[in-house]
Amino acid sequence: MKVLLVFAHPEPRSLNGALRDVAVAEMEALGHEVRVSDLYARGWKSHVDGADFPALPPEARLKVPGASRDAFVGDGLTADVAAEIEKLRWADTLILQFPLWWFSMPAILKGWVDRVFAYGFAYGVGEHSNDRWGDRYGEGSLTGKKAMLMVTAGGWREHYSARGINGPIEDLLFPIHHGILFYPGYQVLPPFVVYQADRFGERDFESAARRLRERLRTLDTATPMPYRRQNAGDYTIPECELRPGLEDAGGSGFALHLYDDGKR
Ligand code: FAD
């Protein structure tokens, strides 16, 4: 397999840095080809602005989706963004690795998504009409590929459990899993999460590294999260609402968009 690991931590000697090294070594030992995009190390530009669209006349009003579409179609993306898109096309599997910061990804990684997931590539793909609302949520440019999050969190596993004060980890990660990865077509593997990361000692590290190696050995066999595909009949088009009576996975909220694995 070809794996792209996008690494978003400012310190190479961090816990995240050590886990990245474990991951890369294990995947290479398994025979996978691995490329790493180390966002802080290369000074990734984390915000979208006019500099992202060099072909746009300086006096033109910036409308980001249209500028992104024109740049994508017209080969006018900046070299850093174009290189990341080429890596995404190359990789069978994408891993996003980051510490949980304010219940989400660090800004630099969000900025990688904002800039690299261009219009025409990751969104705005396919026909949009009253009969079809694009190739998205299970279809799109990245169909057939897998993605997984590697996340460290300061909070305890219990804090992120079904009744935990922080909310369930599946819910917190839903916007990334479903809105960023499933949207352009990735099959999303369950995340690898390390809890209580700030209190890690050497033995905790050894145990997390062992667990990580085990997870990586199942990269090509693990069952993806059973998200409903937009264009498989479960949603009305163009409203994109789940049809009544399909609430089999929990009844409300994010869980609506999962189906019961045994049923299809
Ligand atoms: P580091 O600080 O690098 O290391 C953590 C510990 O691991 C250290 O004690 C280190 O000695 C030890 N360690 C053990 N073995 C090794 C090894 N081999 N290599 C390196 N270190 C090792 N947490 C939440 O749960 N929810 C949040 O919303 C949240 N928001 C945050 C927002 C901000 C802005 C910040 C700064 C932190 C937040 N946190 C939150 C905590 C954050 O998730 C953790 O600080 C982070 O996951 C720890 O990972 P790290 O790689 O930065 O760890």
Side-chain angles (χ1 to χ4, degrees), residues 177-197:
H177 280 150
H178 190 259
I180 294 176
L181 297 172
F182 188 59
Y183 191 102
Y186 280 113
Q187 291 193 305
V188 184
L189 302 180
F192 177 82
V193 185
V194 167
Y195 296 97
Q196 286 181 270

Side-chain angles (χ1 to χ4, degrees), residues 1-6 27 32-37 84 86-96 112 142-150 181 186-190 215-216 218-222:
M1 281 168 64
K2 295 172 181 160
V3 182
L4 172 64
L5 190 155
V6 180
M27 290 190 286
H32 302 324
E33 264 183 86
V34 184
R35 291 164 82 178
V36 176
S37 286
E84 294 302 296
E86 185 276 317
K87 288 187 215 168
L88 289 172
R89 292 198 195 279
W90 168 86
D92 313 306
T93 302
L94 169 68
I95 297 178
L96 301 181
W112 178 87
L142 296 161
T143 307
K145 299 174 185 282
K146 294 179 181 172
M148 186 182 101
L149 302 184
M150 256 175 81
L181 297 172
Y186 280 113
Q187 291 193 305
V188 184
L189 302 180
R215 270 306 299 279
L216 294 171
T218 68
L219 260 190
D220 40 6
T221 54

